[in-house]
Each structure stands twice: as structure tokens, then as C-alpha cells.
């Protein structure tokens, strides 16, 4: 591992790069440019930046309208307000007509920390995954977040990208990024762990802990939740026989359910979801909150051992 950078920071800077090569890129924010890091785009291209105020539903509708003019809108706010408050506008104004709008929301999951349960979105992947035609992307580190920005700009149709507040390690090895194609971070024979977002690093650290005890696990970065890489899921489930999913999201509706949907009736294996168990988040230091919900490397390693 090298330095720590938040995926939201990488997102904001990648928008500036993208804006330089694509003059149709426009960025919308809901009075949170300093937090979502769209402030970088605002400084570089003020004429292509629109602060919609604390009016997330309006922002999504404006983005939908701009997309009909041949522009490429990136709409940003906190995940709770983007996917929650503006759900109906995303569904009916963006996804239903299949408009080319990219919804990139930061401050997802319980690692938001001190803002507490009201701001910690643990349902957003599920909400967006359920919308027909919506692509759902959860970058694991800053490098992947940058690549994801360019990848979603190239594809046609609505996208939800989930970004984090917390600065996390950047993987030293650089992996390719292709929408719908998982990255295998580590090969092992005893179990396979499918993880996304901040939990990829925690799963890798858990794998190191288990390796010292003679337990060898595969770790897969499932950066695209929808469309999921069903071929990868099936291959490693069959090879390992033990399947674990790890996500900073409710165990209902997120990565775990997406993987289970692939495996059901197809692969005979032991299966466990690690995530937030049907409860709200709470206020505290980010790392303390992650530990409270069992999402640190040592806790993940212990749960994997239990599963085996």
C-alpha cells in the first residue's frame, strides 16, 4: 500500500481531466461541492458547473434535461440525499427514459463517521441496483475511482457511482478497470471473498491475517455491482466452495444479494454475507464505527474462519 486518498477526492480531480478532453461534460452539485470535491471542476470550468442548492430532486431533473441537449451531466451530492431524497426523479426522469446521466455520490456507508445514522447511506446500492437499466459502480481506491470516471463517461445510459468520505490506501499494483468485469486481487483455494469499495482493502488485510494461519483465500474486487461479473462469481464459487461477501452496506439488497442471485440454483457452496445487519448507522470516528459493525480486517478474518 502507498498513500491514503479518498475516492471522492480522486473523483473530483478526474472530472477536471475529463472536462479538458470532453467539452460536453457538465457538473451539478447540491451545495456540497467542497465535500463531494466537485469544487475542483468548478474552479477549472465555472461556466460548466451548476450549484443547484439544497434541492437534490431538482438537480436530478436538471441533469436529465441537460442530457437531452447532448451534454454529459455528472450529478453529485451525499449518497443519502442523492439516492434517497431524489429516488423518484432518478427513477422516472433519468432511468425510465434511459438518459445519459451519471449520478456520483460521496459520503456513502458508515465510514461517514460523525455525521451519524441520518447521513450514513447503507441502502443506496440496493436502491440503485433495483432500478431497471441502472449501472452501479463502487470503486475500491482512488486509482480505480479515476478510471471509473472515464469509463462511465464512455458508456451510454444512467450510472450510479458510490464514493467514500474516508481516505483509504491506494493499491500499489494498478489494475485494469472495465465495467462489469471484476478484478481478482489475490488467488487462494480455501474460500473466495467478493468485496467492494473500502472493504476490498479490509478483505486483503484479512487475507494476510488468515494466511499466517494457513488459510488461503481468493479476494475479488467486485467494483461493478450491476451488471455483475457472473462468470467470475460462478468460477470462484465452484473452485473454492466457500463464498463470503463483504460490503459497507446493508446485507439486504447490496453486493451479497447480487452474488447470491448469481449462485442460487447454479453452485452448491457455503455462503455468508458480511455487512450491516438491518440496522442504522451511528455517530463516531469512522474507524470506530466500522469496528462497531464488524467491518475491520481482523473481524472479517474471524468471520471467515467461522464460515470455514
Amino acid at each position: 500500500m502507498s498513500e491514503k486518498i479518498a475516492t471522492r477526492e480522486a473523483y473530483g480531480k478526474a472530472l477536471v481531466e475529463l472536462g479538458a478532453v470532453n467539452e460536453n461534460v457538465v457538473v451539478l452539485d447540491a451545495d456540497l461541492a467542497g465535500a463531494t470535491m466537485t469544487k475542483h471542476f468548478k474552479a477549472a470550468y465555472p461556466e460548466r458547473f451548476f450549484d443547484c442548492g439544497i434541492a437534490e430532486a431538482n438537480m436530478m431533473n436538471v441533469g436529465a434535461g441537460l442530457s437531452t441537449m447532448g451534454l454529459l451531466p455528472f450529478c453529485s451530492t451525499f449518497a443519502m440525499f442523492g439516492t434517497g431524497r431524489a429516488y423518484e426523479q432518478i427513477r422516472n426522469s433519468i432511468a425510465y427514459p434511459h438518459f445519459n446521466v451519471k449520478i456520483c455520490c460521496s459520503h456513502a456507508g458508515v465510514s461517514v463517521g460523525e455525521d451519524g445514522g441520518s447521513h450514513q447511506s447503507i441502502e443506496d446500492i440496493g436502491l440503485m441496483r433495483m432500478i431497471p437499466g441502472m449501472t452501479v459502480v463502487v470503486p475500491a481506491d482512488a486509482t480505480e475511482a479515476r478510471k471509473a470516471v472515464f469509463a462511465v463517461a464512455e458508456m451510454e445510459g444512467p450510472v450510479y457511482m458510490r464514493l467514500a468520505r474516508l481516505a483509504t490506501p491506494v493499491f500499489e499494483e494498478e489494475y485494469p478497470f472495465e465495467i462489469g468485469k471484476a478484478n481478482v486481487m489475490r488467488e487462494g483455494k480455501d474460500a473466495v471473498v467478493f468485496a467492494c469499495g473500502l472493504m476490498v482493502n479490509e478483505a486483503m488485510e484479512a487475507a494476510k491475517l488468515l494466511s499466517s494461519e494457513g488459510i488461503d483465500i481468493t479476494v475479488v474486487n467486485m467494483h461493478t455491482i450491476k451488471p455483475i461479473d457472473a462468470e467470475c462469481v460462478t468460477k470462484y464459487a465452484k473452485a473454492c466452495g466457500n463464498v463470503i461477501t463483504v460490503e459497507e452496506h446493508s446485507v439486504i439488497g447490496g453486493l451479497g444479494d447480487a452474488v447470491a442471485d448469481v449462485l442460487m440454483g447454479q453452485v452448491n457452496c457455503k455462503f455468508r454475507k458480511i455487512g450491516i445487519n438491518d440496522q442504522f448507522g451511528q455517530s463516531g470516528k469512522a474507524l470506530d464505527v466500522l469496528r462497531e459493525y464488524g467491518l475491520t480486517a481482523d473481524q472479517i478474518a474471524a468471520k471467515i474462519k467461522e464460515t470455514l
Side-chain angles (χ1 to χ4, degrees):
M1 291 294 175
S2 57
E3 61 183 326
K4 290 185 177 183
I5 305 173
T7 52
R8 62 177 172 136
E9 179 74 29
Y11 163 70
K13 291 180 178 178
L15 283 178
V16 177
E17 288 186 65
L18 180 64
V21 296
N22 187 340
E23 62 183 12
N24 289 324
V25 171
V26 292
V27 174
L28 293 75
D29 207 298
D31 197 38
L32 287 169
T36 63
M37 296 298 166
T38 60
K39 65 180 182 181
H40 297 301
F41 189 92
K42 179 181 181 180
Y45 310 105
E47 73 285 356
R48 287 192 271 158
F49 178 86
F50 303 93
D51 191 334
C52 298
I54 307 173
E56 293 83 1
N58 289 345
M59 178 178 68
M60 299 303 176
N61 283 334
V62 171
L66 291 172
S67 73
T68 67
M69 302 166 60
L71 298 173
L72 179 55
F74 281 76
C75 297
S76 296
T77 183
F78 287 2
M80 186 62 252
F81 309 135
T83 64
R85 185 176 294 166
Y87 180 83
E88 190 266 330
Q89 285 71 27
I90 293 173
R91 182 191 187 275
N92 286 338
S93 297
I94 294 174
Y96 185 56
H98 200 70
F99 285 158
N100 194 30
V101 179
K102 315 307 174 185
I103 302 148
C104 303
C105 293
S106 71
H107 291 60
V110 294
S111 59
V112 171
E114 290 88 347
D115 288 354
S118 63
H119 284 50
Q120 294 167 358
S121 182
I122 55 171
E123 315 93 337
D124 53 309
I125 294 173
L127 288 170
M128 295 296 101
R129 178 174 164 253
M130 287 176 64
I131 297 177
M134 180 68 74
T135 294
V136 180
V137 175
V138 188
D141 72 352
T143 301
E144 190 162 77
R146 178 190 174 276
K147 290 184 176 182
V149 168
F150 284 85
V152 303
E154 288 296 317
M155 66 164 285
E156 185 71 26
V159 175
Y160 173 63
M161 188 188 305
R162 184 187 219 233
L163 302 162
R165 176 190 189 185
L166 186 65
T168 49
V170 178
F171 293 104
E172 291 181 356
E173 183 176 350
E174 192 165 328
Y175 295 85
F177 182 87
E178 181 181 343
I179 292 170
K181 188 70 174 175
N183 286 326
V184 180
M185 310 287 285
R186 185 183 194 280
E187 295 272 4
K189 65 183 188 306
D190 296 319
V192 57
V193 176
F194 297 103
C196 64
L198 307 190
M199 292 298 104
V200 175
N201 178 61
E202 296 302 317
M204 289 290 283
E205 293 301 311
K208 292 178 185 177
L209 293 172
L210 292 170
S211 179
S212 67
E213 300 182 41
I215 300 171
D216 198 18
I217 67 171
T218 294
V219 177
V220 178
N221 171 14
M222 195 60 69
H223 56 66
T224 307
I225 311 296
K226 182 185 176 186
I228 196 165
D229 190 343
E231 182 180 353
C232 177
V233 170
T234 303
K235 173 185 174 181
Y236 283 95
K238 287 179 177 178
C240 298
N242 294 293
V243 177
I244 297 99
T245 60
V246 186
E247 58 194 310
E248 190 197 354
H249 183 273
S250 172
V251 293
I252 302 168
L255 170 63
D257 281 1
V259 170
D261 287 347
V262 173
L263 297 177
M264 192 175 297
Q266 302 297 318
V267 181
N268 183 19
C269 62
K270 189 178 287 186
F271 181 83
R272 180 172 186 174
K273 294 187 288 186
I274 298 174
I276 297 157
N277 295 312
D278 197 25
Q279 59 190 126
F280 289 106
Q282 56 187 300
S283 181
K285 297 290 185 183
L287 297 179
D288 292 337
V289 178
L290 287 170
R291 178 162 293 279
E292 176 68 21
Y293 291 92
L295 297 176
T296 61
D298 60 316
Q299 293 170 310
I300 292 166
K303 291 175 184 177
I304 292 171
K305 283 178 66 177
E306 287 175 10
T307 305
L308 300 179

PDB file of all heavy atoms in Angstrom, residues 106-125:
ATOM      1  N   SER A 106     -21.002  10.842  -2.915  1.00  0.00           N
ATOM      2  CA  SER A 106     -19.974  10.588  -1.905  1.00  0.00           C
ATOM      3  C   SER A 106     -20.606  10.384  -0.530  1.00  0.00           C
ATOM      4  O   SER A 106     -21.823  10.399  -0.374  1.00  0.00           O
ATOM      5  CB  SER A 106     -18.985  11.766  -1.864  1.00  0.00           C
ATOM      6  OG  SER A 106     -19.600  12.900  -1.291  1.00  0.00           O
ATOM      7  N   HIS A 107     -19.750  10.181   0.465  1.00  0.00           N
ATOM      8  CA  HIS A 107     -20.186  10.022   1.855  1.00  0.00           C
ATOM      9  C   HIS A 107     -21.168   8.862   2.020  1.00  0.00           C
ATOM     10  O   HIS A 107     -22.182   8.970   2.692  1.00  0.00           O
ATOM     11  CB  HIS A 107     -20.799  11.326   2.381  1.00  0.00           C
ATOM     12  CG  HIS A 107     -19.797  12.425   2.562  1.00  0.00           C
ATOM     13  ND1 HIS A 107     -19.047  12.912   1.517  1.00  0.00           N
ATOM     14  CD2 HIS A 107     -19.423  13.131   3.668  1.00  0.00           C
ATOM     15  CE1 HIS A 107     -18.243  13.879   1.961  1.00  0.00           C
ATOM     16  NE2 HIS A 107     -18.436  14.023   3.257  1.00  0.00           N
ATOM     17  N   ALA A 108     -20.845   7.745   1.352  1.00  0.00           N
ATOM     18  CA  ALA A 108     -21.677   6.549   1.475  1.00  0.00           C
ATOM     19  C   ALA A 108     -21.164   5.671   2.609  1.00  0.00           C
ATOM     20  O   ALA A 108     -19.997   5.728   2.981  1.00  0.00           O
ATOM     21  CB  ALA A 108     -21.669   5.774   0.159  1.00  0.00           C
ATOM     22  N   GLY A 109     -22.050   4.848   3.161  1.00  0.00           N
ATOM     23  CA  GLY A 109     -21.668   3.890   4.190  1.00  0.00           C
ATOM     24  C   GLY A 109     -21.462   4.504   5.559  1.00  0.00           C
ATOM     25  O   GLY A 109     -21.544   5.719   5.754  1.00  0.00           O
ATOM     26  N   VAL A 110     -21.160   3.651   6.534  1.00  0.00           N
ATOM     27  CA  VAL A 110     -21.000   4.110   7.917  1.00  0.00           C
ATOM     28  C   VAL A 110     -19.676   4.820   8.146  1.00  0.00           C
ATOM     29  O   VAL A 110     -19.499   5.494   9.169  1.00  0.00           O
ATOM     30  CB  VAL A 110     -21.154   2.941   8.914  1.00  0.00           C
ATOM     31  CG1 VAL A 110     -22.574   2.399   8.903  1.00  0.00           C
ATOM     32  CG2 VAL A 110     -20.145   1.831   8.638  1.00  0.00           C
ATOM     33  N   SER A 111     -18.738   4.719   7.205  1.00  0.00           N
ATOM     34  CA  SER A 111     -17.455   5.398   7.358  1.00  0.00           C
ATOM     35  C   SER A 111     -17.578   6.912   7.218  1.00  0.00           C
ATOM     36  O   SER A 111     -16.597   7.634   7.377  1.00  0.00           O
ATOM     37  CB  SER A 111     -16.428   4.871   6.349  1.00  0.00           C
ATOM     38  OG  SER A 111     -16.866   5.056   5.018  1.00  0.00           O
ATOM     39  N   VAL A 112     -18.784   7.402   6.956  1.00  0.00           N
ATOM     40  CA  VAL A 112     -19.047   8.840   7.041  1.00  0.00           C
ATOM     41  C   VAL A 112     -18.708   9.329   8.450  1.00  0.00           C
ATOM     42  O   VAL A 112     -18.284  10.459   8.649  1.00  0.00           O
ATOM     43  CB  VAL A 112     -20.527   9.142   6.690  1.00  0.00           C
ATOM     44  CG1 VAL A 112     -20.878  10.596   6.972  1.00  0.00           C
ATOM     45  CG2 VAL A 112     -20.797   8.820   5.218  1.00  0.00           C
ATOM     46  N   GLY A 113     -18.899   8.440   9.421  1.00  0.00           N
ATOM     47  CA  GLY A 113     -18.452   8.734  10.783  1.00  0.00           C
ATOM     48  C   GLY A 113     -19.374   9.624  11.574  1.00  0.00           C
ATOM     49  O   GLY A 113     -20.541   9.298  11.813  1.00  0.00           O
ATOM     50  N   GLU A 114     -18.854  10.794  11.979  1.00  0.00           N
ATOM     51  CA  GLU A 114     -19.542  11.643  12.964  1.00  0.00           C
ATOM     52  C   GLU A 114     -20.897  12.178  12.509  1.00  0.00           C
ATOM     53  O   GLU A 114     -21.711  12.579  13.338  1.00  0.00           O
ATOM     54  CB  GLU A 114     -18.635  12.817  13.354  1.00  0.00           C
ATOM     55  CG  GLU A 114     -17.425  12.436  14.175  1.00  0.00           C
ATOM     56  CD  GLU A 114     -16.228  12.061  13.323  1.00  0.00           C
ATOM     57  OE1 GLU A 114     -16.406  11.860  12.093  1.00  0.00           O
ATOM     58  OE2 GLU A 114     -15.115  11.956  13.870  1.00  0.00           O
ATOM     59  N   ASP A 115     -21.159  12.190  11.212  1.00  0.00           N
ATOM     60  CA  ASP A 115     -22.453  12.696  10.740  1.00  0.00           C
ATOM     61  C   ASP A 115     -23.614  11.809  11.183  1.00  0.00           C
ATOM     62  O   ASP A 115     -24.766  12.237  11.168  1.00  0.00           O
ATOM     63  CB  ASP A 115     -22.460  12.830   9.212  1.00  0.00           C
ATOM     64  CG  ASP A 115     -21.596  13.985   8.732  1.00  0.00           C
ATOM     65  OD1 ASP A 115     -21.099  14.740   9.592  1.00  0.00           O
ATOM     66  OD2 ASP A 115     -21.421  14.132   7.512  1.00  0.00           O
ATOM     67  N   GLY A 116     -23.333  10.585  11.522  1.00  0.00           N
ATOM     68  CA  GLY A 116     -24.333   9.721  12.142  1.00  0.00           C
ATOM     69  C   GLY A 116     -25.272   9.009  11.185  1.00  0.00           C
ATOM     70  O   GLY A 116     -25.185   9.142   9.963  1.00  0.00           O
ATOM     71  N   GLY A 117     -26.185   8.258  11.785  1.00  0.00           N
ATOM     72  CA  GLY A 117     -27.081   7.386  11.034  1.00  0.00           C
ATOM     73  C   GLY A 117     -27.949   8.076   9.999  1.00  0.00           C
ATOM     74  O   GLY A 117     -28.302   7.486   8.980  1.00  0.00           O
ATOM     75  N   SER A 118     -28.306   9.330  10.236  1.00  0.00           N
ATOM     76  CA  SER A 118     -29.160  10.036   9.282  1.00  0.00           C
ATOM     77  C   SER A 118     -28.445  10.303   7.964  1.00  0.00           C
ATOM     78  O   SER A 118     -29.079  10.425   6.916  1.00  0.00           O
ATOM     79  CB  SER A 118     -29.643  11.365   9.874  1.00  0.00           C
ATOM     80  OG  SER A 118     -28.529  12.233  10.118  1.00  0.00           O
ATOM     81  N   HIS A 119     -27.122  10.387   8.014  1.00  0.00           N
ATOM     82  CA  HIS A 119     -26.335  10.694   6.821  1.00  0.00           C
ATOM     83  C   HIS A 119     -25.579   9.485   6.260  1.00  0.00           C
ATOM     84  O   HIS A 119     -25.012   9.572   5.176  1.00  0.00           O
ATOM     85  CB  HIS A 119     -25.300  11.789   7.139  1.00  0.00           C
ATOM     86  CG  HIS A 119     -25.881  13.159   7.241  1.00  0.00           C
ATOM     87  ND1 HIS A 119     -26.983  13.447   8.014  1.00  0.00           N
ATOM     88  CD2 HIS A 119     -25.516  14.336   6.660  1.00  0.00           C
ATOM     89  CE1 HIS A 119     -27.265  14.745   7.916  1.00  0.00           C
ATOM     90  NE2 HIS A 119     -26.384  15.300   7.098  1.00  0.00           N
ATOM     91  N   GLN A 120     -25.564   8.393   7.014  1.00  0.00           N
ATOM     92  CA  GLN A 120     -24.823   7.202   6.582  1.00  0.00           C
ATOM     93  C   GLN A 120     -25.715   6.319   5.716  1.00  0.00           C
ATOM     94  O   GLN A 120     -26.543   5.558   6.214  1.00  0.00           O
ATOM     95  CB  GLN A 120     -24.318   6.437   7.813  1.00  0.00           C
ATOM     96  CG  GLN A 120     -23.278   7.214   8.611  1.00  0.00           C
ATOM     97  CD  GLN A 120     -23.007   6.607   9.967  1.00  0.00           C
ATOM     98  OE1 GLN A 120     -23.611   5.621  10.360  1.00  0.00           O
ATOM     99  NE2 GLN A 120     -22.094   7.204  10.730  1.00  0.00           N
ATOM    100  N   SER A 121     -25.526   6.428   4.419  1.00  0.00           N
ATOM    101  CA  SER A 121     -26.372   5.674   3.496  1.00  0.00           C
ATOM    102  C   SER A 121     -25.921   4.226   3.432  1.00  0.00           C
ATOM    103  O   SER A 121     -24.825   3.921   2.970  1.00  0.00           O
ATOM    104  CB  SER A 121     -26.302   6.297   2.095  1.00  0.00           C
ATOM    105  OG  SER A 121     -27.152   5.602   1.215  1.00  0.00           O
ATOM    106  N   ILE A 122     -26.772   3.334   3.891  1.00  0.00           N
ATOM    107  CA  ILE A 122     -26.478   1.902   3.846  1.00  0.00           C
ATOM    108  C   ILE A 122     -27.471   1.162   2.947  1.00  0.00           C
ATOM    109  O   ILE A 122     -27.476  -0.065   2.878  1.00  0.00           O
ATOM    110  CB  ILE A 122     -26.508   1.292   5.260  1.00  0.00           C
ATOM    111  CG1 ILE A 122     -27.841   1.587   5.943  1.00  0.00           C
ATOM    112  CG2 ILE A 122     -25.347   1.829   6.094  1.00  0.00           C
ATOM    113  CD1 ILE A 122     -28.053   0.852   7.241  1.00  0.00           C
ATOM    114  N   GLU A 123     -28.282   1.950   2.228  1.00  0.00           N
ATOM    115  CA  GLU A 123     -29.298   1.368   1.345  1.00  0.00           C
ATOM    116  C   GLU A 123     -29.082   1.719  -0.122  1.00  0.00           C
ATOM    117  O   GLU A 123     -29.797   1.240  -0.993  1.00  0.00           O
ATOM    118  CB  GLU A 123     -30.709   1.864   1.733  1.00  0.00           C
ATOM    119  CG  GLU A 123     -31.015   1.861   3.207  1.00  0.00           C
ATOM    120  CD  GLU A 123     -30.716   3.193   3.908  1.00  0.00           C
ATOM    121  OE1 GLU A 123     -29.884   3.979   3.376  1.00  0.00           O
ATOM    122  OE2 GLU A 123     -31.300   3.445   4.965  1.00  0.00           O
ATOM    123  N   ASP A 124     -28.122   2.580  -0.413  1.00  0.00           N
ATOM    124  CA  ASP A 124     -28.013   3.183  -1.742  1.00  0.00           C
ATOM    125  C   ASP A 124     -27.734   2.191  -2.858  1.00  0.00           C
ATOM    126  O   ASP A 124     -28.299   2.293  -3.953  1.00  0.00           O
ATOM    127  CB  ASP A 124     -26.948   4.291  -1.741  1.00  0.00           C
ATOM    128  CG  ASP A 124     -25.602   3.828  -1.205  1.00  0.00           C
ATOM    129  OD1 ASP A 124     -25.570   3.240  -0.107  1.00  0.00           O
ATOM    130  OD2 ASP A 124     -24.574   4.049  -1.882  1.00  0.00           O
ATOM    131  N   ILE A 125     -26.865   1.203  -2.593  1.00  0.00           N
ATOM    132  CA  ILE A 125     -26.595   0.210  -3.638  1.00  0.00           C
ATOM    133  C   ILE A 125     -27.876  -0.542  -3.981  1.00  0.00           C
ATOM    134  O   ILE A 125     -28.200  -0.742  -5.159  1.00  0.00           O
ATOM    135  CB  ILE A 125     -25.490  -0.776  -3.199  1.00  0.00           C
ATOM    136  CG1 ILE A 125     -24.153  -0.042  -3.048  1.00  0.00           C
ATOM    137  CG2 ILE A 125     -25.353  -1.919  -4.200  1.00  0.00           C
ATOM    138  CD1 ILE A 125     -23.041  -0.906  -2.467  1.00  0.00           C
TER     139      ILE A 125
END
